[in-house]
Each structure stands twice: as structure tokens, then as C-alpha cells.
Amino acid sequence: MRFSGFDALFDRAKSLGRAKVAVAAAADKEVMEAIKLAEQEGLITPLLIGDVNQIKELAFEIGWNLESAKLIHEANPQDAAHRAVDAIVNGEADFLMKGLINSSDFLRAVLRPEGGLRTGRLLSHLAAFQVPGYSHLFFVTDGGMNIAPDLTQKKQILENSLFYLQRIGMELVNVIILAANEIVDPKMPATMDAKELVAMGKAGEFSGAIVEGPLALDGAVSAVALKHKGISSRINGEVDLILTPTIEVGNVLGKSMVYFAGATMAGIVLGAKVPIVLTSRSDTPRNKFMAITMAALSRTVS
């Protein structure tokens, strides 16, 4: 199963009924606009944690009556983050979203030693892209969390993404390990790591996935480019998931698609007990809404 775009992802998420989202330090206008949209679309029931007076003021400003929302007053952002994590631990919410709080403080609550959301897995970022002219939604990891992952970390990043994608319905995932070219060269560590990851795939370590690489971007998305280069590929340009060698590659790839190709993007953090919506300040409410949609599928991911 593949998703044709975010609408298909939304339809699947909505079919599960309303998810409960705990929003830490919720008094953020763009975050609340996204939460309002998701609530009105029947996707979520929100638990808004933060300065209740500020939350109510922003709700009035954006024309939201908060009728279906539960509000919990925690004026201090760090306390709000811990209360949001408590909501997950106590079963009050299905997934977590960051509001107006520093990311480090937010993640400190998520990863607290006692009563946190640790699983023993590495936290990693998974982004979904809908690119005009491309046949289906595809995913990129990791352009948002891990700076320069080594081979062991890349394996964990790939496992996080496959775990999520397969549980939301993608039984067979086509994975490309991205590099600058297809030649395995000790001077280019990304190609060496790609070779090892492909070997792991052939040994059955990534069940439900075809893993190929190293491969440059053109070969990842274009059968014509592969033919021109004389490269044989089972994926043949129909990639579902791209694993990038560094955070810079993932970040630039994603922003290039958005700003030069008109792509729509959303992303979540994986590796904790539940998916986490941790968006950028530059993301629009619509982008945040689509990230909420991705996380709302967390009820199929345990």
C-alpha cells in the first residue's frame, strides 16, 4: 500500500476516530491554528497544557471556542512539558506535540529517566513529502534530529522509519540509501555505510523492505536515470523512503523540494513510546496539521 498524498494519509487517520493529543506549552498561535483545524476536521481531541489565560486569548483571536478541548494550567513551559509527558504515560493522550517551548527543554521532559517516553531506541525525524508530478507520497530520514549518524545509528534510524511506515499500512517499503554516487569508496564514508546497510537488508535484517544503495538522488527517483547509468534496480525509481547520510543532506533535500519544487512537507519524531509532533517555527499551520495527521496514525503504531 502507498499513499497518493496527504489527503490519503488524512483519510486513513480519520478512519481510526479522534486521537487525543497532549500539547505542551500550547499558547502558540500557529500551533493552536493547526490544532483547531485538526479538531474541526474530526481528527483529534486536544489536551492543551500551558498558561490557560494566554491559550484562551489566542483561541479568541483565531475564532476557536475550545468547546471540545481540555485545558490544564501550567504557566511554566518546562512544567507544561512534563505534564504533557505525564498525559501520555497515564493514557490521557495518544501522542505529543510541542508548543511554545525550547526544543531542548521539551525533549528533556520526553527523555527523563523516570516516567518518560524512552524506549531504548534512538530518536529520529521522519518527513513526508508530496511533490507535484511525483506519483506518491514519499519519506526522508533523518533531516531533523541526528547530525552525523554512524552506521549503527543509521540502522536504528532506518528501523524507526520502517516500523512506522509498515504499521500504517506500507507492507513493502522501497528504501534508497542516498549518497553522491553509486561507487563504494573508502574516501566517501556514506557509500561504505550504504554497502553495509544493503548487506543487512539482504541478510533479512529489514523485514518488509527492499534496501538499495549507495545511490544518487537521480537514480532514487528516476528509472530513466538508472537506465542511462546502466544500473539495475528492483526499486527502479519508485522510492518510498530515502535515508540521508547527514542532517545537512536531509535538511537541504527537504527544503529544496519545498522551495524549488513546490512540495508539501510534514514531519514527526520517532523512537519514543509515541510519535512526537515537533515542528519548525517556519512551518505553516497547514504543515503542522499534516504532521498531526502523521502522528494521529500512532494508534496503529505500538
Side-chain angles (χ1 to χ4, degrees), residues 52-200:
V52 167
N53 290 328
Q54 292 179 9
I55 291 171
K56 288 180 177 179
E57 288 174 5
L58 287 172
F60 179 79
E61 186 178 335
I62 65 176
W64 185 21
N65 62 21
L66 296 174
E67 185 176 339
S68 70
K70 180 179 179 181
L71 276 59
I72 295 177
H73 183 72
E74 287 287 359
N76 181 280
Q78 288 84 3
D79 291 340
H82 284 282
R83 180 62 183 85
V85 171
D86 289 342
I88 300 296
V89 174
N90 297 333
E92 298 174 77
D94 299 306
F95 67 95
L96 193 62
M97 183 171 186
K98 183 182 87 73
L100 192 59
I101 178 175
N102 180 274
S103 293
S104 297
D105 291 334
F106 176 74
L107 290 173
R108 195 170 294 116
V110 170
L111 297 174
R112 65 193 187 193
E114 295 184 6
L117 303 179
R118 293 173 181 263
T119 62
R121 303 197 304 267
L122 185 72
L123 293 187
S124 60
H125 188 265
L126 176 68
F129 292 90
Q130 184 174 328
V131 182
Y134 197 69
S135 61
H136 58 273
L137 202 67
F138 74 97
F139 299 83
V140 175
T141 193
D142 177 345
M145 288 292 292
N146 295 283
I147 296 172
D150 59 21
L151 177 60
T152 299
Q153 291 169 324
K154 287 177 181 178
K155 182 184 179 185
Q156 293 180 59
I157 291 167
L158 180 52
E159 288 172 337
N160 280 348
S161 294
L162 291 174
F163 182 77
Y164 174 83
L165 295 174
Q166 290 167 356
R167 292 299 295 272
I168 67 170
M170 296 177 64
E171 294 90 355
L172 181 63
V173 183
N174 290 340
V175 181
I176 293 298
I177 313 300
L178 196 66
N181 60 42
E182 296 75 31
I183 306 300
V184 177
D185 186 342
K187 294 180 180 179
M188 300 182 71
T191 64
M192 300 292 288
D193 288 349
K195 178 184 176 182
E196 293 299 322
L197 290 166
V198 169
M200 293 177 196

Side-chain angles (χ1 to χ4, degrees), residues 182 215-233 236-237:
E182 296 75 31
L215 203 61
L217 182 62
D218 54 353
V221 299
S222 171
V224 173
L226 288 169
K227 184 177 181 180
H228 181 74
K229 291 183 174 183
I231 297 172
S232 176
S233 167
N236 203 34

